[in-house]
Amino acid sequence: NHDIMVIDTRQPATALPTDRLLQNILRSIGCHLAQLPPSDILRWPLFKDDSLSHPEDEARAMVQAYVSAQVSKAPIKTLLLLGHDAVRFTLDVGDDSQHFYHEHKGGALLQEQWQSTALIAPSLIDMLQEPLQKRITWQALQTLVQATL
């Protein structure tokens, strides 16, 4: 919905029930959906046979432009960033994105450029492969749960 945007890294070859897990996560914060809305998939590099280099900065610019376009259509209160790559390409985190991700995983950060809060949690695949990671996601979601009380 317009209150929350979820950004996760997809790995279609894994064939894990990521959609069902996401739906359960959204239910836990009060988003009762019969089914998930269609996903927008951003592919990088844009062209499969492109021999040009694709620096990380260009990919980040593409993801940030996408988020900005969505926010311009309708304000989004919360960005749920699932996994290191979601954080790395959505936020400007500096050179050590891995350190930033581990430092802020389970937390919330205000994102003034979109007037929203970014919740940082493990990716859906990480949660399915390591179920204890769900605890970190729940910790990040507490910001939303407490706001609705």
Side-chain angles (χ1 to χ4, degrees):
N1 64 26
H2 297 295
D3 290 339
I4 188 166
M5 175 188 286
V6 178
I7 300 177
D8 184 44
T9 302
R10 292 289 184 152
Q11 294 178 10
T14 60
L16 292 170
T18 54
D19 286 349
R20 189 168 48 189
L21 175 58
L22 178 58
Q23 194 166 12
N24 288 339
I25 290 169
L26 294 174
R27 275 192 196 117
S28 77
I29 59 171
C31 297
H32 298 285
L33 304 168
Q35 67 182 44
L36 292 173
S39 297
D40 290 333
I41 297 174
L42 302 178
R43 299 187 191 283
W44 191 260
L46 294 176
F47 304 103
K48 185 177 180 181
D49 296 329
D50 194 351
S51 61
L52 300 174
S53 66
H54 297 286
E56 193 170 302
D57 290 341
E58 290 179 22
R60 184 176 301 105
M62 181 181 76
V63 173
Q64 290 178 354
Y66 174 81
V67 173
S68 294
Q70 297 306 307
V71 169
S72 72
K73 292 178 190 176
I76 296 170
K77 294 179 185 175
T78 305
L79 288 168
L80 180 55
L81 303 179
L82 301 176
H84 172 250
D85 285 340
V87 171
R88 182 174 100 190
F89 293 116
T90 305
L91 306 179
D92 291 317
V93 297
D95 292 334
D96 193 352
S97 62
Q98 195 74 351
H99 175 74
F100 181 92
Y101 172 68
H102 286 293
E103 182 180 332
H104 295 285
K105 189 166 51 169
L109 299 169
L110 180 63
Q111 296 301 304
E112 291 185 21
Q113 74 269 33
W114 297 309
Q115 298 178 351
S116 63
T117 300
L119 303 180
I120 298 175
S123 71
L124 294 169
I125 290 173
D126 289 345
M127 286 185 267
L128 288 167
Q129 291 176 337
E130 299 175 45
L132 290 177
Q133 295 285 322
K134 293 176 187 176
R135 181 179 301 153
I136 297 168
T137 303
W138 183 246
Q139 180 182 338
L141 293 173
Q142 291 307 299
T143 304
L144 294 175
V145 172
Q146 292 178 5
T148 59
L149 297 178

Coordinates of all heavy atoms in Angstrom, one line a residue, residues 5-60:
M5 N 6.8 0.5 1.4 CA 7.4 -0.1 0.2 C 8.4 -1.1 0.7 O 9.3 -0.7 1.5 CB 8.1 1.0 -0.6 CG 8.8 0.5 -1.9 SD 9.8 1.7 -2.7 CE 8.5 2.6 -3.6
V6 N 8.4 -2.2 0.1 CA 9.4 -3.3 0.5 C 10.4 -3.4 -0.7 O 10.0 -3.6 -1.8 CB 8.6 -4.6 0.7 CG1 9.6 -5.7 1.0 CG2 7.6 -4.5 1.8
I7 N 11.6 -3.4 -0.3 CA 12.7 -3.6 -1.3 C 13.5 -4.8 -0.8 O 14.0 -4.8 0.3 CB 13.6 -2.4 -1.5 CG1 12.7 -1.2 -1.9 CG2 14.7 -2.6 -2.4 CD1 13.4 0.1 -2.1
D8 N 13.6 -5.8 -1.7 CA 14.3 -7.1 -1.4 C 15.1 -7.5 -2.6 O 14.7 -7.2 -3.7 CB 13.3 -8.1 -0.9 CG 14.0 -9.4 -0.5 OD1 15.0 -9.4 0.3 OD2 13.5 -10.5 -0.9
T9 N 16.1 -8.2 -2.4 CA 16.9 -8.8 -3.5 C 16.3 -10.1 -3.9 O 16.1 -11.0 -3.0 CB 18.4 -9.0 -3.1 OG1 18.9 -7.7 -2.8 CG2 19.2 -9.5 -4.3
R10 N 16.0 -10.3 -5.1 CA 15.4 -11.6 -5.6 C 16.5 -12.5 -6.1 O 17.5 -12.1 -6.7 CB 14.4 -11.3 -6.7 CG 13.2 -10.6 -6.3 CD 12.4 -11.5 -5.5 NE 11.1 -10.8 -5.1 CZ 10.0 -11.5 -4.9 NH1 10.0 -12.8 -5.0 NH2 8.9 -10.8 -4.6
Q11 N 16.3 -13.8 -5.8 CA 17.1 -14.9 -6.4 C 16.2 -16.0 -6.9 O 15.9 -16.9 -6.2 CB 18.1 -15.4 -5.4 CG 19.1 -14.4 -4.9 CD 20.1 -14.9 -3.9 OE1 20.1 -16.1 -3.6 NE2 20.8 -14.1 -3.3
P12 N 15.6 -15.8 -8.1 CA 14.5 -16.7 -8.5 C 14.9 -18.2 -8.6 O 14.1 -19.1 -8.4 CB 14.2 -16.2 -9.9 CG 14.8 -14.9 -10.1 CD 15.9 -14.8 -9.0
A13 N 16.2 -18.4 -8.8 CA 16.7 -19.8 -8.9 C 16.5 -20.6 -7.6 O 16.6 -21.8 -7.6 CB 18.1 -19.9 -9.4
T14 N 16.4 -19.9 -6.4 CA 16.3 -20.6 -5.2 C 15.0 -21.3 -4.9 O 14.9 -22.2 -4.1 CB 16.6 -19.6 -4.0 OG1 15.7 -18.6 -4.0 CG2 18.1 -19.1 -4.1
A15 N 13.9 -20.8 -5.5 CA 12.6 -21.4 -5.4 C 12.1 -21.5 -4.0 O 11.5 -22.5 -3.6 CB 12.5 -22.7 -6.1
L16 N 12.4 -20.5 -3.2 CA 12.0 -20.4 -1.8 C 10.6 -19.7 -1.7 O 10.4 -18.8 -2.5 CB 13.0 -19.8 -0.9 CG 14.3 -20.6 -0.7 CD1 15.4 -19.7 -0.1 CD2 14.1 -21.8 0.0
P17 N 9.8 -20.0 -0.7 CA 8.5 -19.3 -0.5 C 8.6 -17.9 0.0 O 8.1 -17.5 1.1 CB 7.8 -20.2 0.4 CG 8.9 -20.8 1.3 CD 10.1 -21.0 0.4
T18 N 9.4 -17.0 -0.7 CA 9.6 -15.7 -0.2 C 8.3 -14.8 -0.2 O 8.1 -14.0 0.7 CB 10.7 -14.9 -1.0 OG1 10.3 -15.0 -2.4 CG2 12.0 -15.6 -0.9
D19 N 7.4 -15.0 -1.1 CA 6.2 -14.3 -1.2 C 5.3 -14.6 0.1 O 4.7 -13.7 0.7 CB 5.4 -14.6 -2.4 CG 6.0 -13.9 -3.7 OD1 6.9 -13.0 -3.5 OD2 5.6 -14.2 -4.8
R20 N 5.2 -15.8 0.4 CA 4.5 -16.2 1.6 C 5.0 -15.6 2.9 O 4.3 -15.1 3.7 CB 4.4 -17.7 1.7 CG 3.4 -18.2 2.8 CD 3.1 -19.6 2.7 NE 4.3 -20.4 2.6 CZ 4.3 -21.7 2.4 NH1 3.2 -22.4 2.2 NH2 5.5 -22.3 2.3
L21 N 6.4 -15.6 3.0 CA 7.0 -15.0 4.2 C 6.7 -13.5 4.2 O 6.4 -13.0 5.3 CB 8.5 -15.3 4.1 CG 9.3 -14.6 5.2 CD1 8.9 -15.0 6.6 CD2 10.8 -14.9 5.1
L22 N 6.9 -12.9 3.1 CA 6.6 -11.4 3.0 C 5.1 -11.1 3.4 O 4.9 -10.2 4.2 CB 6.9 -10.9 1.6 CG 6.6 -9.4 1.5 CD1 7.4 -8.5 2.5 CD2 6.9 -8.9 0.0
Q23 N 4.2 -11.9 2.9 CA 2.8 -11.7 3.3 C 2.6 -11.9 4.8 O 1.9 -11.1 5.4 CB 1.9 -12.7 2.5 CG 0.5 -12.4 2.5 CD -0.3 -13.1 1.5 OE1 0.2 -14.1 0.9 NE2 -1.6 -12.7 1.3
N24 N 3.3 -12.9 5.4 CA 3.2 -13.1 6.8 C 3.8 -11.9 7.6 O 3.2 -11.4 8.6 CB 3.8 -14.4 7.3 CG 3.0 -15.6 6.9 OD1 1.8 -15.5 6.6 ND2 3.7 -16.7 6.8
I25 N 4.9 -11.4 7.1 CA 5.5 -10.2 7.7 C 4.5 -9.0 7.7 O 4.3 -8.3 8.7 CB 6.8 -9.9 7.1 CG1 7.9 -10.9 7.4 CG2 7.3 -8.5 7.5 CD1 9.2 -10.8 6.6
L26 N 3.9 -8.8 6.5 CA 3.0 -7.7 6.4 C 1.8 -7.8 7.2 O 1.3 -6.9 7.8 CB 2.7 -7.5 4.9 CG 3.8 -7.1 4.0 CD1 3.4 -7.0 2.5 CD2 4.4 -5.7 4.4
R27 N 1.3 -9.0 7.3 CA 0.2 -9.3 8.2 C 0.5 -8.9 9.7 O -0.3 -8.4 10.4 CB -0.3 -10.8 8.2 CG -1.2 -11.1 7.1 CD -1.8 -12.5 7.3 NE -2.4 -12.9 6.0 CZ -2.0 -13.9 5.3 NH1 -1.0 -14.7 5.7 NH2 -2.6 -14.1 4.1
S28 N 1.7 -9.2 10.1 CA 2.1 -9.0 11.5 C 2.1 -7.5 11.8 O 2.1 -7.1 13.0 CB 3.5 -9.6 11.7 OG 4.5 -8.8 11.2
I29 N 2.2 -6.6 10.8 CA 2.1 -5.2 11.1 C 0.8 -4.6 10.6 O 0.7 -3.4 10.5 CB 3.3 -4.5 10.4 CG1 3.3 -4.7 8.9 CG2 4.6 -4.9 11.0 CD1 4.3 -3.8 8.1
G30 N -0.2 -5.4 10.4 CA -1.5 -4.9 10.1 C -1.9 -4.8 8.7 O -3.0 -4.2 8.4
C31 N -1.1 -5.2 7.7 CA -1.4 -5.2 6.3 C -2.0 -6.5 5.9 O -1.3 -7.4 5.5 CB -0.2 -4.9 5.5 SG 0.6 -3.3 5.8
H32 N -3.3 -6.6 6.0 CA -4.0 -7.9 5.7 C -4.4 -7.9 4.2 O -5.3 -7.3 3.8 CB -5.2 -8.1 6.6 CG -4.9 -8.2 8.0 ND1 -4.3 -9.3 8.6 CD2 -5.0 -7.2 9.0 CE1 -4.0 -9.0 9.9 NE2 -4.5 -7.8 10.1
L33 N -3.6 -8.7 3.5 CA -3.8 -8.8 2.0 C -4.1 -10.2 1.6 O -3.5 -11.1 2.1 CB -2.5 -8.4 1.3 CG -1.8 -7.1 1.6 CD1 -0.4 -7.0 1.0 CD2 -2.6 -6.0 1.0
A34 N -5.2 -10.3 0.8 CA -5.5 -11.7 0.3 C -4.3 -12.2 -0.6 O -4.1 -13.4 -0.5 CB -6.8 -11.6 -0.6
Q35 N -3.7 -11.3 -1.3 CA -2.5 -11.7 -2.0 C -1.6 -10.4 -2.2 O -2.1 -9.3 -2.1 CB -2.8 -12.3 -3.4 CG -3.4 -11.3 -4.4 CD -3.7 -12.0 -5.7 OE1 -4.2 -13.1 -5.7 NE2 -3.4 -11.4 -6.8
L36 N -0.3 -10.6 -2.4 CA 0.6 -9.5 -2.6 C 0.3 -8.8 -3.9 O 0.0 -9.4 -4.9 CB 2.0 -10.0 -2.6 CG 2.6 -10.5 -1.2 CD1 4.0 -11.1 -1.5 CD2 2.6 -9.5 -0.2
P37 N 0.5 -7.5 -3.9 CA 0.4 -6.8 -5.2 C 1.5 -7.2 -6.1 O 2.5 -7.7 -5.6 CB 0.4 -5.3 -4.8 CG 1.1 -5.3 -3.5 CD 0.8 -6.6 -2.8
P38 N 1.4 -7.0 -7.4 CA 2.5 -7.4 -8.3 C 3.8 -6.6 -7.9 O 3.7 -5.5 -7.5 CB 2.0 -6.9 -9.7 CG 0.6 -6.6 -9.5 CD 0.3 -6.4 -8.1
S39 N 4.9 -7.3 -8.1 CA 6.2 -6.7 -7.8 C 6.7 -6.0 -9.0 O 6.5 -6.5 -10.1 CB 7.2 -7.8 -7.4 OG 6.8 -8.5 -6.2
D40 N 7.4 -4.9 -8.7 CA 8.2 -4.3 -9.8 C 9.6 -4.8 -9.7 O 10.2 -4.8 -8.6 CB 8.2 -2.8 -9.6 CG 6.9 -2.1 -9.9 OD1 6.1 -2.7 -10.7 OD2 6.6 -1.1 -9.3
I41 N 10.2 -5.3 -10.7 CA 11.5 -5.9 -10.7 C 12.5 -5.0 -11.5 O 12.2 -4.7 -12.6 CB 11.5 -7.3 -11.3 CG1 10.6 -8.2 -10.5 CG2 12.9 -7.9 -11.4 CD1 10.4 -9.6 -11.1
L42 N 13.5 -4.6 -10.7 CA 14.5 -3.7 -11.4 C 15.7 -4.7 -11.7 O 16.2 -5.3 -10.8 CB 15.0 -2.6 -10.4 CG 13.9 -1.7 -9.9 CD1 14.5 -0.7 -9.0 CD2 13.3 -1.0 -11.1
R43 N 16.1 -4.7 -12.9 CA 17.2 -5.6 -13.3 C 18.4 -4.8 -13.6 O 18.4 -3.7 -14.1 CB 16.8 -6.3 -14.6 CG 15.6 -7.2 -14.4 CD 15.3 -8.0 -15.7 NE 14.0 -8.7 -15.7 CZ 13.7 -9.7 -14.9 NH1 14.6 -10.3 -14.2 NH2 12.5 -10.3 -15.0
W44 N 19.6 -5.4 -13.1 CA 20.8 -4.7 -13.4 C 21.8 -5.8 -13.7 O 21.9 -6.8 -13.1 CB 21.3 -4.0 -12.1 CG 22.5 -3.1 -12.4 CD1 23.8 -3.4 -12.1 CD2 22.5 -1.9 -13.0 NE1 24.6 -2.4 -12.6 CE2 23.8 -1.4 -13.1 CE3 21.5 -1.1 -13.6 CZ2 24.2 -0.2 -13.7 CZ3 21.8 0.1 -14.1 CH2 23.2 0.5 -14.2
P45 N 22.6 -5.6 -14.8 CA 22.6 -4.4 -15.7 C 21.4 -4.4 -16.5 O 20.7 -5.4 -16.7 CB 23.9 -4.7 -16.5 CG 24.2 -6.1 -16.4 CD 23.6 -6.6 -15.1
L46 N 21.1 -3.3 -17.1 CA 19.9 -3.1 -17.9 C 19.9 -4.0 -19.1 O 18.8 -4.4 -19.5 CB 19.8 -1.6 -18.3 CG 19.5 -0.7 -17.1 CD1 19.5 0.8 -17.6 CD2 18.2 -1.0 -16.4
F47 N 21.0 -4.1 -19.7 CA 21.1 -5.0 -20.9 C 22.0 -6.1 -20.7 O 23.2 -6.0 -20.3 CB 21.6 -4.1 -22.1 CG 20.8 -2.9 -22.3 CD1 21.2 -1.6 -21.9 CD2 19.6 -3.0 -23.0 CE1 20.4 -0.5 -22.1 CE2 18.8 -1.9 -23.2 CZ 19.2 -0.6 -22.7
K48 N 21.6 -7.3 -21.0 CA 22.3 -8.5 -20.7 C 23.7 -8.6 -21.4 O 24.7 -9.0 -20.8 CB 21.5 -9.7 -21.1 CG 22.1 -11.1 -20.7 CD 21.1 -12.2 -21.1 CE 21.7 -13.5 -20.8 NZ 20.8 -14.6 -21.1
D49 N 23.7 -8.2 -22.6 CA 25.0 -8.3 -23.4 C 25.8 -7.0 -23.4 O 26.7 -6.8 -24.2 CB 24.7 -8.7 -24.8 CG 24.0 -10.1 -24.9 OD1 24.4 -10.9 -24.0 OD2 23.2 -10.3 -25.8
D50 N 25.5 -6.1 -22.5 CA 26.2 -4.8 -22.5 C 27.6 -5.0 -22.0 O 27.8 -5.5 -20.9 CB 25.4 -3.8 -21.6 CG 25.9 -2.4 -21.7 OD1 27.0 -2.2 -22.4 OD2 25.3 -1.5 -21.2
S51 N 28.6 -4.7 -22.8 CA 30.0 -4.9 -22.4 C 30.6 -3.8 -21.5 O 31.7 -3.9 -21.1 CB 30.8 -5.2 -23.6 OG 30.8 -4.0 -24.4
L52 N 29.8 -2.7 -21.4 CA 30.3 -1.6 -20.6 C 30.2 -2.0 -19.1 O 29.5 -2.8 -18.7 CB 29.4 -0.4 -20.8 CG 29.3 0.2 -22.2 CD1 28.3 1.3 -22.3 CD2 30.7 0.7 -22.7
S53 N 31.1 -1.3 -18.4 CA 31.1 -1.6 -16.9 C 29.8 -1.0 -16.3 O 29.3 0.0 -16.8 CB 32.4 -1.1 -16.3 OG 32.4 0.3 -16.3
H54 N 29.4 -1.5 -15.2 CA 28.2 -1.0 -14.6 C 28.5 -0.8 -13.1 O 28.3 -1.6 -12.2 CB 27.1 -2.0 -14.6 CG 26.6 -2.3 -16.0 ND1 25.9 -1.4 -16.8 CD2 26.9 -3.3 -16.9 CE1 25.7 -1.8 -18.0 NE2 26.3 -3.0 -18.1
P55 N 29.1 0.4 -12.8 CA 29.5 0.7 -11.5 C 28.3 0.7 -10.5 O 27.2 0.9 -10.9 CB 30.2 2.0 -11.5 CG 30.2 2.4 -13.0 CD 29.4 1.5 -13.7
E56 N 28.7 0.4 -9.3 CA 27.6 0.3 -8.2 C 26.9 1.7 -8.1 O 25.7 1.7 -7.9 CB 28.3 0.0 -6.9 CG 27.4 -0.4 -5.8 CD 28.1 -0.9 -4.6 OE1 28.9 -1.9 -4.8 OE2 28.0 -0.3 -3.6
D57 N 27.6 2.8 -8.4 CA 26.9 4.1 -8.3 C 25.8 4.2 -9.3 O 24.8 4.8 -9.0 CB 28.0 5.2 -8.5 CG 29.0 5.3 -7.4 OD1 28.7 4.8 -6.3 OD2 30.0 5.9 -7.6
E58 N 25.9 3.7 -10.5 CA 24.9 3.7 -11.5 C 23.7 2.9 -11.0 O 22.5 3.3 -11.2 CB 25.4 3.3 -12.8 CG 26.3 4.2 -13.5 CD 26.8 3.7 -14.8 OE1 26.1 2.8 -15.4 OE2 27.9 4.1 -15.2
A59 N 23.9 1.7 -10.5 CA 22.8 0.9 -10.0 C 22.1 1.6 -8.8 O 20.9 1.6 -8.7 CB 23.4 -0.5 -9.5
R60 N 22.9 2.2 -7.9 CA 22.3 2.9 -6.8 C 21.4 4.1 -7.3 O 20.3 4.3 -6.8 CB 23.4 3.5 -5.9 CG 22.8 4.1 -4.6 CD 23.9 4.6 -3.7 NE 24.7 3.4 -3.2 CZ 25.9 3.1 -3.6 NH1 26.6 3.9 -4.5 NH2 26.6 2.1 -3.2

